[in-house]
Amino acid sequence: MLFSRHASMSAMKNITVFKEKLEAEKSTLEKELSDIARFNEETGLWEAMPDQDLVGEIDDNDAADRFEDFEERSAILSTLQARLTDVNAALKKIVDDTYGICEIGGEKIEADRLEANPAARTCKEHMNA
Ligand SMILES: [Zn+2]
């Protein structure tokens, strides 16, 4: 109700807010990835660092303890990488002016769903499709 009289203005303002959130999340994800992985320029993907490399790269004992084994780092890496892919896709949609459109049904994604997850690719109805 509150936004109904200024729907279009509010939508434009929201996109700026979502863009800022997405860019902030992207920085955080890349920072977390750089703790446990290195970016492969050829594949465009992050690769988990082998143990021997990690020891040399991380001075901080806390960081080393958090990611004790390679398998754990690989699992965290794939979660972060998947999230980063979604965030990048959402940022690209803002540029392409298709942000907030469900990838499956083409309808608008609910505002509260985007609030909860600015990188959402689908509306609530299609979120598990
Ligand atoms: Zn949908």
Side-chain angles (χ1 to χ4, degrees), residues 102-109 122-127:
C102 172
E103 287 185 5
I104 294 177
E107 62 277 287
K108 280 194 171 183
I109 299 173
T122 57
C123 70
K124 286 179 190 171
E125 188 190 336
H126 294 122
M127 67 192 289

Side-chain angles (χ1 to χ4, degrees), residues 59-78:
D59 299 331
D60 183 342
N61 282 334
D62 290 341
D65 288 345
R66 261 190 298 150
F67 307 115
E68 268 177 29
D69 63 65
F70 182 74
E71 280 183 22
E72 187 187 348
R73 285 199 299 280
S74 299
I76 295 166
L77 170 65
S78 45

Side-chain angles (χ1 to χ4, degrees), residues 54-113:
L54 195 70
V55 174
E57 306 234 1
I58 293 190
D59 299 331
D60 183 342
N61 282 334
D62 290 341
D65 288 345
R66 261 190 298 150
F67 307 115
E68 268 177 29
D69 63 65
F70 182 74
E71 280 183 22
E72 187 187 348
R73 285 199 299 280
S74 299
I76 295 166
L77 170 65
S78 45
T79 305
L80 293 173
Q81 175 97 60
R83 182 68 192 161
L84 184 60
T85 301
D86 282 353
V87 168
N88 281 332
L91 284 166
K92 183 171 186 304
K93 285 182 198 171
I94 290 175
V95 174
D96 294 345
D97 207 18
T98 56
Y99 182 73
I101 306 292
C102 172
E103 287 185 5
I104 294 177
E107 62 277 287
K108 280 194 171 183
I109 299 173
E110 295 84 354
D112 60 337
R113 174 149 163 75

Side-chain angles (χ1 to χ4, degrees), residues 8-65:
S8 61
M9 272 181 67
S10 147
M12 275 166 59
K13 184 167 163 253
N14 279 342
I15 285 196
T16 308
V17 172
F18 288 135
K19 184 163 183 272
E20 283 170 5
K21 279 191 190 178
L22 287 161
E23 282 171 347
E25 185 170 0
K26 181 179 160 123
S27 306
T28 304
L29 287 166
E30 287 177 344
K31 167 78 182 66
E32 289 176 10
L33 280 162
S34 69
D35 282 344
I36 58 166
R38 68 164 62 95
F39 190 70
N40 183 327
E41 300 279 350
E42 285 176 26
T43 60
L45 295 172
W46 291 82
E47 294 173 351
M49 270 189 255
D51 292 332
Q52 64 271 25
D53 289 7
L54 195 70
V55 174
E57 306 234 1
I58 293 190
D59 299 331
D60 183 342
N61 282 334
D62 290 341
D65 288 345

Side-chain angles (χ1 to χ4, degrees), residues 1-10:
M1 291 306 161
L2 192 60
F3 300 113
S4 59
R5 279 176 298 160
H6 303 290
S8 61
M9 272 181 67
S10 147

